[in-house]
Amino acid sequence: MQQDLTTIKRRSAARLLGALPAAALVAVLAGCASPAGIEPQARPLEGAEVGLAGTEAAPAISLEWWRELGDAQLDRLVERALQDHPDLKVAQARLARAAAGVEGADAARWPQGNGSLDLTRQRYTENGAVPAPLAGSIRNSATLQLSGGWELDFFGRHRAQLEAALGARRAAQAEVAAARVVLAANVVRQYVQLGRLFEQRAIAERTLAQRQEMLELVRQRVAAGLDTQVELRQGEGALPEIRQQIESLDEQIALARHALAALTAQAPGALDDLRPALPALRDVPVPQQLPADLLGRRPDVEAARWRVEAAVRDVQVARTEFYPNVNLTAFVGLSSIGLDRLLEAGSRQYGAGPALRLPVFEAGRLRAQLRGRTADLDAAIESYNAAVLGAVRDVADQLASRRSVERQLREQQQAQAAAEAAYDYAVQRYRAGLGSYLTVLTAEQAVLAQRRLGADLKARTLDTHIALMRALGGGHAADATLARR
């Protein structure tokens, strides 16, 4: 009995000692290869935090919003720019690359296979493990083999990689849309500015004609002894000033045409006959409220949001690196020493089995990798927050400018009407001999200033509308083809 008890104790001690390596391994794994304590610190902003309402229906914005201005010539220029501009093609190339990344991540989820043929002429050592008659001989050897493997996605690594690639592709798609919005806005803005320059030139030409008429009247009055050489020299000196302004405007018109040609991927002289009519461009009302859904359609905000999604998935991939990697592998083929025996039945070889890989002494590397991915996620979230804050400010600025310009335009129209009436009255008094030429010039300068200001405010009204359409995303909506798989 005592002997049996001693035997049981010895066996229990042996089992305990045999279990110690496994327990030590578990302790090492638990202590060294753990992602615990590594979490993102950033938090995405909510719509209410930046002053956006979330309950109202978002007003519809046309994807081709520039057509609302009612200029077919402008429509053609925008369409050409969206087809041919290099910046847009660069964004499309990035999208194609991101799509290729999705295909690669998706392929990794499925079994992989390959075939190989190896031919070798080799001298076998006489002092190694190879026995005679191979030792010291030179022989040909060949291996013809098919092999395959399948990494089982027990912990979701491949799925997370695919989701990260999909997020990157969606972000690239949104960046293409952002490039389209910016390009279209730049074309329309440059077109409006060109129209403003032509309107300013027309005002300068009318002013030149008025001053030529006044100069002729001064000459007649000098000949009649009613005016002096002072008034005559004043009238003559006014003409070069206006001609200089016209020449300056012609220079700006040429430069604006060149800029518009570059935006539409044409030679600098391709638009030398382009002459936009600023008064013909229709003004378009703007929304008074900004629901969060509308601002969320901005492609740059959407791209930032998808970058966050991709970064979240990258963190998940980094976490799965702490878990075992299970592969199923198999091969079948032929192998022989001597090419003449390769296709014999005895040259067959095959095998199959699982392979398990578990990180044990890589905890420092894996935790550093996870910290890096988590930092990338924090950066993506803060970039998203910055995009939201910038978008909110952009829209608020454009709305404030638009409303201010509308009020300025109403006041300017009243001021111009008064200046035109004062000028007409001053001319009538001068012709009747009741007023001086200086009074006429002063009144004319006021009219000229108001006409210029009116053209500038008209252009600014359109410009703020263009900027607001760009700030609101230009009618962008997410592409349905990028739906989650």
Side-chain angles (χ1 to χ4, degrees), residues 287-301:
Q288 298 299 314
Q289 299 294 332
L290 295 177
D293 179 62
L294 183 61
L295 195 61
R297 296 177 194 170
R298 275 181 58 129
D300 59 335
V301 174

Side-chain angles (χ1 to χ4, degrees), residues 169-246:
R169 188 182 72 168
R170 294 184 181 107
Q173 177 71 28
E175 287 169 353
V176 171
R180 288 176 58 88
V181 171
V182 171
L183 181 57
N186 287 341
V187 172
V188 180
R189 174 172 284 181
Q190 194 64 49
Y191 189 85
V192 168
Q193 292 306 312
L194 184 57
R196 181 188 69 83
L197 291 173
F198 274 112
E199 187 69 12
Q200 294 282 14
R201 193 183 192 284
I203 294 171
E205 288 176 343
R206 289 199 299 269
T207 303
L208 180 61
Q210 288 175 353
R211 293 200 176 182
Q212 287 173 338
E213 180 183 349
M214 291 301 302
L215 178 59
E216 182 61 29
L217 178 58
V218 169
R219 286 172 177 163
Q220 294 175 7
R221 289 174 61 86
V222 170
L226 299 176
D227 276 340
T228 67
Q229 290 295 317
V230 175
E231 286 80 9
L232 179 60
R233 295 308 178 192
Q234 287 177 337
E236 291 174 345
L239 298 183
E241 178 185 355
I242 298 300
R243 286 195 291 264
Q244 181 272 328
Q245 293 176 7
I246 292 174

Side-chain angles (χ1 to χ4, degrees), residues 123-127 130-137:
R123 183 188 187 280
Y124 292 89
T125 178
E126 299 177 18
N127 300 316
V130 179
L134 290 179
S137 66

Side-chain angles (χ1 to χ4, degrees), residues 98-155:
V102 173
E103 294 176 1
D106 189 41
R109 302 167 59 203
W110 308 106
Q112 310 292 313
N114 58 75
S116 63
L117 173 61
D118 298 325
L119 302 175
T120 306
R121 184 171 178 80
Q122 177 180 350
R123 183 188 187 280
Y124 292 89
T125 178
E126 299 177 18
N127 300 316
V130 179
L134 290 179
S137 66
I138 299 176
R139 302 293 180 92
N140 296 322
S141 62
T143 301
L144 177 63
Q145 182 168 287
L146 293 175
S147 59
W150 187 9
E151 183 178 345
L152 303 180
D153 197 20
F154 284 123
F155 301 101

Side-chain angles (χ1 to χ4, degrees), residues 333-378:
L334 302 168
S335 181
S336 69
I337 296 177
L339 299 182
D340 56 332
R341 304 173 61 184
L342 179 63
L343 300 180
E344 294 181 359
S347 298
R348 291 174 299 168
Q349 63 177 11
Y350 53 83
L356 177 66
R357 302 288 185 273
L358 183 66
V360 177
F361 299 110
E362 294 185 296
R365 180 184 66 83
L366 295 180
R367 287 180 65 83
Q369 177 176 283
L370 179 57
R371 284 195 183 94
R373 296 289 178 84
T374 303
D376 290 342
L377 174 56
D378 285 338

